[in-house]
Amino acid sequence: MADIARLAGVSKATVSRALNRSPLVNEETRTRILELASSLKYTINIGAQNLRLKQNRTIGVVVPYDSTTRQHLSDPFFLSMLGSLADALTERGFDMLLSRVDAEQLDAAAMPFDTGRVIGLILIGQWRHHDQLNGLAARHVPIVVWGAQLPQQLYTTVGGDNVSGGMLATEHLIAAGRRRIAFFGDINLPEVAQRYSGYCNALARHGLPLDPQLRVSVSFLPEGGDQAVREIERRAVPYDAAFACSDLLAMTAINTLRALGKQVPGDVAVVGYDDIELSTYFHPPLTTIRQPIRAAGQALVGALLAIIDSKPAGSLQLPTELIVRATSA
Amino acid sequence: MADIARLAGVSKATVSRALNRSPLVNEETRTRILELASSLKYTINIGAQNLRLKQNRTIGVVVPYDSTTRQHLSDPFFLSMLGSLADALTERGFDMLLSRVDAEQLDAAAMPFDTGRVIGLILIGQWRHHDQLNGLAARHVPIVVWGAQLPQQLYTTVGGDNVSGGMLATEHLIAAGRRRIAFFGDINLPEVAQRYSGYCNALARHGLPLDPQLRVSVSFLPEGGDQAVREIERRAVPYDAAFACSDLLAMTAINTLRALGKQVPGDVAVVGYDDIELSTYFHPPLTTIRQPIRAAGQALVGALLAIIDSKPAGSLQLPTELIVRATSA
DNA sequence: CTGAAAGCGCTAACAG
DNA sequence: CTGTTAGCGCTTTCAG
């Protein structure tokens, strides 16, 4: 900037003003400076600017990962979420600092905030780390989490409406004439627990019994679908449908069902969750519960910026939607 | 820092030294300062430190996207790559600034560098933007690209060995007794072109004719597999195998083959590319060419840091590997 | 071993 | 309209 000032025969202050399009600077001087700057390919040093302005337009996006199961990068759902966040942040002129942290050491997630690198954090995935997240919020780290709303929650969440998602899926299967509906998912995870309660509600509403033997606890890893099917077969309980807590789970489950000689949806109807892009192109195309990814990115960013602005930002539940395709016909 | 200095009864300089573990500071003073700092949850402001040190430990990772086809976020391969990069960068103490840029305006990718936010760029995906990439390199933007090595290339690439990948796949199919092998992919993309040339080599080596009718040009979008199969059926050329340029393509192709009543691998053997995690759990498990993702992240980061250090960093081709599963049995 | 002082690149009073 | 000056939070000579 000093160079430009010298070459333009003005002071650094004027250059700064010109570059920031201050109305205080003469039209003519301004264009001269701007041209000089662009011919020298000069751009303001954002670090210095941030320091001076005590501002910062970078948001930290954290993907917690489970070091034992690597339960994080298998699912295309995350990638879509990342994309949606990138779009929402870009749109509002923010940069995105991406980090992965061990889910057991979630405090580490706050480092970019503590060191002033970012002004707030978006966490993709709540898992079972409610307490650690509360801890961060108690420290006044501006944070928004993609996940379920829980009692005594100090942090803000944005998530799909899991209860109604679970209901939609289950009622759809019931409407399709299914009576013995298996549930695949780990209810220790808050989101899955809510989907399960939606499932229970739907059964109750239609006077169907809740058989605990029909619930199989599996992780979100791709092998989960296979495991779930094999487990329920081992239990030898009759079932004519399955509600899987992710599309990936549903797809791998369907593959195993087929391998075991079952027809989908003939013998077993299947509904997934998320509506990842591949679901449409799967064979047969997968019936699923759509999570509104675009809206999710917008909502997460909106909520975080509100918090940073110290405006109250309540937790949010985004509507989910049943997408009927062929696996439940 | 001024606060800590005051509370510890020392100068800012001493605090700085203590925090940076300088040997110049008295053991006792140091621990006092360190304790004070941690009790106040103080952390050095990285922005200010960077400014003063004229350093920066942030790398920009850029995912170009095609605004018309959104040819970017459908494929789990990218997510794995992102994860691998995140790991490699974290390991070496670098932060990752993630951005998406319109592939038609790749110059924009350099912005975080021009403004001093990052010290170098990693681009995931070369697509057909060789010239723009050369332009960036000519401007001395430190940059490494995941993609194919091309003639007259000013930038550094790291990529899988596509020619040998194409050969491995094709020779495997030939060894399995297939003679009419379709190729699914857009050879306008350098990586795909190289895989195609591997495919041609393999055919030639075994004295098999190269039938241009067997090559179907489709994008990497998930619907590509479906389109490819329908196109080749429309052409009514006989084929007994297909080599698809991504696993996603292979999977959606298999679904469509099945929908058309063809057996896989009975009627048509299929080989994919990338070895994404889902491939193992697909039904039938997918034969594919593995790209060494972990090594890729390491290599990309390593090459970029070398360039930043103004050490010469030649382009690199990582070995690919044939993973035989059930779709080619 | 410690402190005073200068300065990284930028912006914003304040004074012309 | 423009320049002078101070200072964002940090590190590092240079003197004690």
Side-chain angles (χ1 to χ4, degrees), chain A residues 81 85 122-123 144-146 158 295-305:
Chain A
M81 190 62 111
L85 282 170
I122 294 174
L123 246 110
V144 174
V145 179
W146 172 260
V158 171
Q298 297 287 349
L300 285 162
V301 172
L304 182 57
L305 294 181

Side-chain angles (χ1 to χ4, degrees), chain B:
Chain B
M1 183 177 273
D3 294 353
I4 307 250
R6 197 164 10 82
L7 289 169
V10 295
S11 71
K12 283 191 306 175
T14 305
V15 175
S16 170
R17 282 193 273 253
L19 259 25
N20 291 301
R21 275 135 188 82
S22 154
L24 290 171
V25 65
N26 186 331
E27 177 66 43
E28 183 189 341
T29 354
R30 188 229 309 268
T31 47
R32 184 155 44 91
I33 293 172
L34 255 36
E35 274 169 18
L36 205 50
S38 79
S39 80
L40 293 182
K41 294 196 176 61
Y42 169 84
T43 350
I44 289 176
N45 179 314
I46 302 228
Q49 190 183 48
N50 285 345
L51 183 58
R52 172 65 230 227
L53 260 30
K54 293 160 154 292
Q55 66 156 25
N56 182 331
R57 295 187 72 81
T58 307
I59 299 293
V61 172
V62 180
V63 183
Y65 68 90
D66 188 32
S67 45
T68 53
T69 61
R70 302 184 35 255
Q71 198 164 16
H72 58 308
L73 281 189
S74 346
D75 207 313
F77 178 71
F78 282 112
L79 187 52
S80 309
M81 189 61 109
L82 227 48
S84 155
L85 282 171
D87 287 346
L89 288 169
T90 307
E91 205 170 277
R92 299 185 184 227
F94 284 85
D95 285 330
M96 168 169 164
L97 193 76
L98 184 65
S99 58
R100 297 170 67 191
V101 308
D102 186 330
E104 300 307 316
Q105 250 117 33
L106 265 195
D107 296 326
M111 181 125 63
F113 173 76
D114 292 331
T115 58
R117 311 232 24 185
V118 305
I119 54 171
L121 297 172
I122 294 175
L123 247 109
I124 310 185
Q126 177 178 33
W127 305 115
R128 61 192 102 234
H129 301 289
H130 183 57
D131 296 337
Q132 290 192 63
L133 293 171
N134 263 343
L136 288 177
R139 279 178 49 205
H140 297 107
V141 178
I143 184 175
V144 174
V145 179
W146 172 260
Q149 195 167 352
L150 257 30
Q152 277 136 38
Q153 173 176 288
L154 300 174
Y155 55 97
T156 299
T157 49
V158 172
D161 185 339
N162 294 297
V163 176
S164 91
M167 288 213 12
L168 284 170
T170 312
E171 299 220 299
H172 169 64
L173 288 168
I174 294 172
R178 310 295 165 144
R179 289 296 172 267
R180 303 273 312 159
I181 302 170
F183 179 95
F184 297 162
D186 176 1
I187 61 168
N188 289 311
L189 302 175
E191 294 178 274
V192 175
Q194 296 188 347
R195 291 172 202 175
Y196 186 64
S197 92
Y199 161 92
C200 297
N201 292 352
L203 292 181
R205 242 166 81 167
H206 292 264
L208 294 172
L210 176 65
D211 182 351
Q213 286 286 311
L214 284 171
R215 183 175 65 72
V216 184
S217 183
V218 283
S219 77
F220 277 124
L221 294 176
E223 58 261 42
D226 180 72
Q227 289 167 355
V229 172
R230 295 190 188 283
E231 170 64 20
I232 202 161
E233 288 288 331
R234 205 190 52 71
R235 290 184 191 168
V237 293
Y239 63 107
D240 55 12
F243 169 33
C245 276
S246 82
D247 284 351
L248 213 57
L249 234 47
M251 292 182 200
T252 53
I254 289 172
N255 290 339
T256 299
L257 285 167
R258 279 223 207 85
L260 298 178
K262 307 236 180 201
Q263 299 286 326
V264 174
D267 300 323
V268 182
V270 177
V271 176
Y273 211 99
D274 292 341
D275 193 28
I276 61 175
E277 199 165 4
L278 187 54
S279 304
T280 320
Y281 304 101
F282 192 74
H283 180 74
L286 188 65
T287 294
T288 188
I289 303 295
R290 175 176 298 166
Q291 303 228 60
I293 299 243
R294 290 211 69 72
Q298 298 286 350
L300 284 162
V301 172
L304 182 57
L305 294 181
I307 290 172
I308 289 168
D309 229 19
S310 44
K311 288 182 198 131
S315 290
L316 208 64
Q317 286 207 329
L318 273 25
T320 45
E321 188 187 352
L322 173 72
I323 306 291
V324 180
R325 299 206 186 92
T327 53
S328 62

Side-chain angles (χ1 to χ4, degrees), chain A residues 131-158:
Chain A
D131 295 337
Q132 290 191 63
L133 293 171
N134 264 344
L136 288 178
R139 277 179 50 203
H140 299 106
V141 178
I143 183 174
V144 174
V145 179
W146 172 260
Q149 196 167 350
L150 258 30
Q152 278 138 36
Q153 174 175 290
L154 300 173
Y155 55 97
T156 300
T157 49
V158 171

